[in-house]
Amino acid sequence: MTELLERDGRRVRVADVIPDDGPPPGSPWPDDAEIGRRFAAGDEQALAWAYERFAGQVHGMAVRAFGPGPDAEDVTQQVFVSAWTGRAGFRPHQAPLPAWLVGICRHKIADTWARRDRQRRATEAALAEAQAATGPAAPTVDSTVADRVLLLGELEQIGQPQRGIIELAFFEDLTHAQIADRTGLPLGTVKSHIRRTLERLRMRLEVDGAALHA
Amino acid sequence: MPHCTPEQLALAALREPLPDTDAAHLAGCDRCRAEVASLQRGVDALAVPELAAPQGSVAPPPAVWAAIAGATGVSVVPRPELVAGGTAPARPAPLPAPAPPPPGPRSPSGGSVVRPNFSRLLLATAAALVVGIGVGAAAVALGTADGDEGLQVAAAALAPLDDRGATGEATVVERDDGSRVLELQLDAADVPDGYYEVWLLDEAVSRLVPVGVVQGGDEASLALPTGIDIGEYPVVDVSVEPLDGDPSHSGDSVARGVLES
Ligand SMILES: [Zn+2]
């Protein structure tokens, strides 16, 4: 396949449109890697390109979680604002720009759930107080909502390839055999990474989850 | 029978089916089941459909960019017609009812549990993501046979790249003798001292093949080089070329679209 294409490349005249330092003005269609490189470098144009290319997917996730409306729009807005202001934390070799944006979107969705849960508790507490001393005990934290925020943060700390492997299992619902296929890693390696990552998440929940839920 | 291996228990926590002997042991062993349950709390927190890979594109309303620009102070503006989702083919985005925070564990641990059934959808999405999201141009509907004119094998809608507003439609037609032509309808203003040239680019926009010269407001039929793989050069690009005798791309593109077959 590649050879054939290379032959094609020789038969027809092929030249570089793009100088090495990036596309000239007026040719605004760089690839994802170029957008990512310029994004990391703080080039404002790259934020607009990233929005053109990825805002639909990000907003699609937000709408899936919250339905169309202000909550979803807040999430999408926050994703791009956080990505831009936090671009120093963007590591292109860890995850390309669209994957990084999707990861931020997960955080924002989990944060929104947690905020709603705090509002629920505040409302319930106010209600209990209004109903006098015989009211129920203090409203409980939804532990799953809190776990999500904690564990998404822990995922960020995990290096590759472990992180990519567990993300394929969690977010793309692949089996360990499919992950081995997709990544080209041996089955045994995939299995042992999965085991260690689940242990790591369990440890994080035991250490910090208990404190949060107390 | 000995206990299941730690790796098998981790897979069980992900709700992968285990080999029969392991599954049988797990069903009857409290210690192994407790281990699965303890590993499963993290799975249940994160492996929920709301956090899964994106499945569909929904164009955010314009107010979202306005808020981003306000918060970041940037002065650039994305081209609305290119914001992914805005130009997507008529594939209605799945709009679920607003979801409450998903509940905790989906099922008791241990035992044989089927994997959640959103998997196929996600796999399809994953493939789409690998191919690349938000190409910024929508393919027009494809016909099949086109009489003795030949067979339409791919098409692209060309979207403007700037405020010159050039648009168009390109189709690749294969004739009976195997030759292929790019049929192009270009809606663009006349260029006073230059001309429009059509190119096929690869997706990285790093290699290109010249296809021919066209006029704005014109229909043209341009022969494609024999053997060119339009999968490798799927981007139709229209540039403004000055009459300077330089055969290379001017870098001044006015419209682009991606061929889809
Ligand atoms: Zn056992």
Side-chain angles (χ1 to χ4, degrees):
Chain A
M1 183 72 180
T2 303
E3 284 174 15
L4 182 68
L5 295 175
E6 283 169 1
R7 276 208 304 278
D8 286 345
R10 282 200 294 274
R11 173 158 43 228
V12 295
R13 184 171 65 81
V14 172
D16 287 336
V17 188
I18 311 299
D20 286 335
D21 58 350
S27 181
W29 229 54
D31 62 14
D32 289 1
E34 175 68 8
I35 295 177
R37 194 182 66 74
R38 292 200 179 197
F39 194 100
D43 179 346
E44 291 187 4
Q45 182 58 54
L47 177 59
W49 284 329
Y51 192 81
E52 286 170 357
R53 203 169 283 194
F54 310 123
Q57 295 284 332
V58 168
H59 196 54
M61 282 182 81
V63 166
R64 182 177 60 191
F66 299 112
D71 274 348
E73 288 163 23
D74 279 354
V75 164
T76 302
Q77 173 197 333
Q78 289 169 22
V79 168
F80 283 90
V81 172
S82 292
W84 183 248
T85 56
R87 59 187 180 273
F90 171 49
R91 299 276 178 274
H93 57 280
Q94 287 269 321
L97 187 59
W100 189 59
L101 293 171
V102 164
I104 295 174
C105 189
R106 289 194 180 102
H107 280 283
K108 298 304 179 188
I109 289 171
D111 288 346
T112 303
W113 282 328
R115 194 177 62 243
R116 286 178 166 189
D117 191 53
R118 282 196 299 275
Q119 288 164 348
R120 173 186 63 79
R121 281 179 280 128
T123 307
E124 288 174 5
L127 206 60
E129 198 170 306
Q131 286 168 345
T134 56
T140 52
V141 177
D142 181 331
S143 62
T144 305
V145 165
D147 286 354
R148 277 188 192 113
V149 175
L150 188 66
L151 293 183
L152 284 173
E154 184 69 15
L155 275 190
E156 299 287 308
Q157 308 302 316
I158 299 176
Q160 299 292 16
Q162 291 88 341
R163 181 169 156 200
I165 288 169
I166 206 67
E167 288 184 341
L168 288 171
F170 283 174
F171 303 135
E172 304 203 16
D173 203 33
L174 300 190
T175 65
H176 75 284
Q178 290 168 325
I179 293 169
D181 266 1
R182 175 81 72 91
T183 59
L185 293 169
L187 271 178
T189 304
V190 171
K191 282 197 278 195
S192 62
H193 282 320
I194 287 173
R195 169 72 198 189
R196 271 181 258 144
T197 301
L198 291 186
E199 280 177 3
R200 179 170 174 164
L201 297 180
R202 177 175 65 185
M203 174 76 74
R204 185 71 199 267
L205 287 172
E206 283 168 358
V207 172
D208 295 313
L212 271 180
H213 300 157
Chain B
M1 146 114 209
H3 292 298
C4 302
T5 65
E7 285 74 22
Q8 296 285 27
L9 294 175
L11 295 180
L14 284 169
R15 300 191 168 80
E16 285 200 34
L18 297 189
D20 287 348
T21 50
D22 291 285
H25 170 83
L26 180 61
C29 175
D30 287 345
R31 183 172 139 192
C32 285
R33 286 163 61 105
E35 176 75 359
V36 170
S38 73
L39 293 171
Q40 211 156 44
R41 186 168 150 202
V43 177
D44 287 327
L46 294 180
V48 295
E50 290 86 346
L51 299 180
Q55 282 171 282
S57 205
V58 179
V64 173
W65 175 261
I68 292 166
T72 58
V74 303
S75 55
V76 291
V77 180
R79 295 155 291 181
E81 73 279 6
L82 291 188
V83 173
T87 56
R91 174 180 154 209
L95 294 188
R106 288 177 296 204
S107 57
S109 56
S112 63
V113 184
V114 292
R115 295 175 68 76
N117 62 7
F118 59 92
S119 55
R120 267 178 222 90
L121 279 171
L122 292 185
L123 283 175
T125 311
L129 265 181
V130 169
V131 169
I133 60 178
V135 291
V140 298
L142 286 183
T144 47
D146 194 8
D148 43 17
E149 303 277 338
L151 185 69
Q152 184 174 318
V153 295
L158 307 185
L161 291 177
D162 57 29
D163 57 13
R164 283 172 287 185
T167 60
E169 283 186 10
T171 57
V172 175
V173 173
E174 187 168 285
R175 290 182 174 141
D176 288 345
D177 62 2
S179 67
R180 287 171 302 170
V181 293
L182 184 78
E183 295 187 342
L184 184 82
Q185 159 80 58
L186 180 67
D187 293 318
D190 284 331
V191 186
D193 35 32
Y195 57 95
Y196 291 109
E197 186 163 12
V198 183
W199 312 76
L200 291 180
L201 277 55
D202 66 359
E203 285 208 322
V205 196
S206 59
R207 297 194 300 159
L208 80 171
V209 177
V211 177
V213 172
V214 293
Q215 305 297 321
D218 209 352
E219 275 190 52
S221 198
L222 307 167
L224 290 180
T226 306
I228 185 171
D229 180 346
I230 58 173
E232 179 71 358
Y233 292 94
V235 179
V236 179
D237 172 277
V238 180
S239 68
V240 172
E241 297 294 335
L243 284 165
D244 59 2
D246 180 350
S248 67
H249 194 291
S250 65
D252 184 17
S253 297
V254 294
R256 272 187 200 158
V258 179
L259 287 169
E260 297 196 26
S261 42

